[in-house]
Amino acid sequence: MIKTVDLKKTFTGRGQTVYAVDGVTANVEPGEVVVIIGPSGSGKSTFLRCLNGLETLTSGHIVIDGVDLADRKTDLNKVRREVGMVFQQFNLFPHKKVIENIVLAQMTVRKRDRAEAEEKARMLLEKVGIAEKEQEYPSRLSGGQQQRVAIARALAMDPKIMLFDEPTSSLDPEMVGEVLDVMKDLAREGMTMVVVTHEMGFAREVADRVLFMDQGKLVEEGTPEHFFTEPREERTKLFLKQVL
Amino acid sequence: MNSLSKQLWPWRILTVVILFLIAASLWAATKRIDYTWRWNRVPQYFAYNAETFEKIPFDGRVLIINRLGDTTSVELESESGEKLTLVVETPSLRVSEGEELFADDSIGSNSEWKAGPLTMGMLMTLWLSAVASFFGLIIGLVTGLCRVSKNPTLRSLSIFYVELIRGTPLLVQIFIFYFFLGTVLDIGRIVAGISALAIFAGAYVAEIIRAGIQSVPKGQTEAARSLGMSATQNMVHIVLPQALKRVLPPLAGQFISLIKDSSLVSVIAITDLTKSGREVITSTFATFEIWFTVALLYLLLTSVLSQLIAWVERRLAVSD
């Protein structure tokens, strides 16, 4: 479903070159839930953002569903339709009501008519458990509710892959659960998911595979059992000791 | 709440007292220069009752006079048998049935209320500012978008335009538009005046729009793009609506400025409010009164506009 080959992303500023992602080769099978963990600044968010072209890659390849993002002829907008993304800061459109947030891209990108788009939006709001908020503006919702709307908005495009960039990191602790529950439901339904998170409980329970990144490199990968009980690398052991 | 408003009372009184003192000292100052205030001369320049005399176009006589209440119709017959009916206001009737008349004798008059020069000038100012604002907004929007565009040529051209306009006085621009472009392109003074104002306002609006676009968080664009929206769709549906809402207050300030700056077009003989004021002064010598009145009229226009914008702002605030 997703394959990256020697993916590199560098940022240059003030004469310095920073390797945010430094030669990551990984792949994600259809229906798989992959959780990426690692210390802050390890390049895991940048890696995730490369996967739907929000960051242009410096070198290497990303192949999504058979389409190479490194190819200049690739229409990124087409790829992005199939890859949903949920952000740490929700990024709901504040000037539009909840339902409009979900309807807009369906109409402009997928060319659905309003009735169809609204029906889909209501169905998804029901699914994420906030059907009653459809006429509210995002600013009236709690963080957890906003994040669930954001998930519904991404799902409305019928993506084949969902990317989550620290979806619970800016939530109050009591709201983390409601968002994780929605994500668990999605995983159970067989959605292909790549999740950057600090929620070790989620990784252990839901992930099919865990990738550990540090300093832009993929340090270790494996099943959650392997990863949390018998990690091979020193760096992984140290990280797990700090967070668990 | 109640105790708070009680605390405010002394300050309110102080404000009123200070304003009163300023007014009183102004009044005392004018007393010293021995100026005779003739405010009664001002109203007629807003609207006046114009009397037009109805005249017989030929030598002839009055055939029939038919009173219809307020108006009277007079049937006239020329020496060659030609007939004509004129309607005049009853009190102004000057002829009787059978009376012999020469050509151009007046048989009565009609009066009607007409807008005076100050009203006409105000309408002209309003029209100039409205049209210039409209085009200024469009020019500003396009330039603002060019300013944040990825294309280096569009970016440089928009910077050049903005710097050129902001770095030269409006008065000079108006002269250039009227004398140079007006001659070269053969455009009238009104078109020249409006173009100068619109292009002047456009440069400032462009900078306001640019700031507005840049103030929308990057996450909004990222969210829109991650849903597969194109750059244009993102701009139209996501960024611009939020940007315009944010820049409404400075934009309002710019359009209020434009109303005031429009007074400068009086130098190319467009009869706006300022020029009307000057013309009225030449016939009344009521210099002080007219300038105060003109200032008040500008204040009226600008405060109506700012109220309007405040209303729009409140309407848009529902999503905050």
Side-chain angles (χ1 to χ4, degrees), chain B:
Chain B
M1 178 66 205
N2 211 358
S3 68
L4 196 72
S5 62
K6 254 178 205 161
Q7 282 170 10
L8 282 174
W9 265 113
W11 296 105
R12 291 205 176 122
I13 291 169
L14 182 66
T15 314
V16 172
V17 166
I18 290 173
L19 286 176
F20 178 79
L21 283 177
I22 292 172
S25 50
L26 272 178
W27 181 76
T30 51
K31 271 281 163 209
R32 285 187 45 193
I33 56 161
D34 202 23
Y35 184 83
T36 324
W37 292 88
R38 295 195 189 86
W39 284 103
N40 59 335
R41 287 195 180 179
V42 177
Q44 58 177 312
Y45 293 100
F46 282 101
Y48 61 98
N49 202 344
E51 207 175 10
T52 46
F53 288 97
E54 297 293 344
K55 291 171 179 169
I56 181 170
F58 42 65
D59 293 345
R61 64 189 190 89
V62 180
L63 219 54
I64 307 162
I65 289 179
N66 194 2
R67 283 169 208 272
L68 309 161
D70 285 348
T71 56
T72 299
S73 77
V74 182
E75 204 173 316
L76 305 160
E77 191 189 34
S78 72
E79 286 166 344
S80 57
E82 201 182 325
K83 282 186 181 166
L84 178 72
T85 309
L86 290 174
V87 178
V88 298
E89 284 168 2
T90 306
S92 71
L93 186 69
R94 295 183 173 185
V95 293
S96 49
E97 265 176 41
E99 195 176 327
E100 298 283 340
L101 295 170
F102 295 112
D104 278 350
D105 278 351
S106 103
I107 58 166
S109 66
N110 284 310
S111 63
E112 70 179 317
W113 283 98
K114 279 198 171 165
L118 286 180
T119 313
M120 295 308 284
M122 191 162 85
L123 288 176
M124 179 55 114
T125 289
L126 196 64
W127 191 74
L128 284 177
S129 323
V131 177
S133 298
F134 175 75
F135 286 110
L137 187 62
I138 290 176
I139 295 170
L141 201 59
V142 172
T143 314
L145 287 172
C146 290
R147 192 82 166 70
V148 295
S149 143
K150 282 203 182 85
N151 183 318
T153 305
L154 288 179
R155 230 170 29 228
S156 319
L157 283 178
S158 56
I159 291 172
F160 177 70
Y161 158 64
V162 169
E163 292 304 320
L164 186 75
I165 296 297
R166 292 204 306 183
T168 49
L170 176 58
L171 190 56
V172 175
Q173 289 167 21
I174 290 173
F175 281 134
I176 290 176
F177 264 84
Y178 179 56
F179 289 113
F180 176 67
L181 290 181
T183 314
V184 172
L185 303 175
D186 194 26
I187 51 177
R189 54 167 55 96
I190 300 271
V191 180
I194 287 176
S195 314
L197 287 176
I199 285 171
F200 175 78
Y204 288 86
V205 170
E207 284 297 279
I208 294 172
I209 299 274
R210 176 185 65 86
I213 289 173
Q214 287 174 342
S215 78
V216 175
K218 263 190 99 180
Q220 291 292 309
T221 298
E222 289 181 351
R225 298 309 296 273
S226 79
L227 290 166
M229 285 193 200
S230 66
T232 315
Q233 285 170 336
N234 167 46
M235 192 49 87
V236 171
H237 295 290
I238 307 300
V239 177
L240 268 188
Q242 296 184 55
L244 287 179
K245 184 179 155 189
R246 280 164 198 241
V247 300
L248 209 54
L251 218 47
Q254 189 54 49
F255 290 135
I256 286 169
S257 284
L258 185 67
I259 292 182
K260 296 183 289 176
D261 290 340
S262 75
S263 65
L264 287 173
V265 299
S266 59
V267 296
I268 55 170
I270 294 177
T271 316
D272 73 328
L273 184 50
T274 303
K275 182 140 190 300
S276 304
R278 280 217 311 256
E279 282 171 4
V280 169
I281 288 166
T282 55
S283 57
T284 57
F285 301 107
T287 317
F288 292 4
E289 294 89 331
I290 296 299
W291 282 129
F292 279 127
T293 310
V294 166
L296 252 160
L297 290 177
Y298 275 112
L299 188 63
L300 184 75
L301 290 180
T302 52
S303 48
V304 166
L305 179 62
S306 65
Q307 289 300 314
L308 207 71
I309 302 257
W311 176 77
V312 175
E313 256 176 82
R314 280 197 299 276
R315 285 286 306 271
L316 288 177
V318 284
S319 61
D320 289 339

Side-chain angles (χ1 to χ4, degrees), chain A residues 49 80 92 95 108 139-140, chain B residues 220 222 225 237 319-320:
Chain A
R49 289 159 60 83
R80 287 183 181 132
L92 292 180
H95 61 302
T108 52
S139 56
R140 303 251 193 283
Chain B
Q220 291 292 309
E222 289 181 351
R225 298 309 296 273
H237 295 290
S319 61
D320 289 339

Side-chain angles (χ1 to χ4, degrees), chain A residues 60-78:
Chain A
H61 292 277
I62 301 174
V63 182
I64 292 181
D65 214 12
V67 183
D68 191 352
L69 295 196
D71 188 347
R72 286 179 63 96
K73 276 176 279 184
T74 302
D75 181 359
L76 267 182
N77 292 334
K78 251 183 193 156

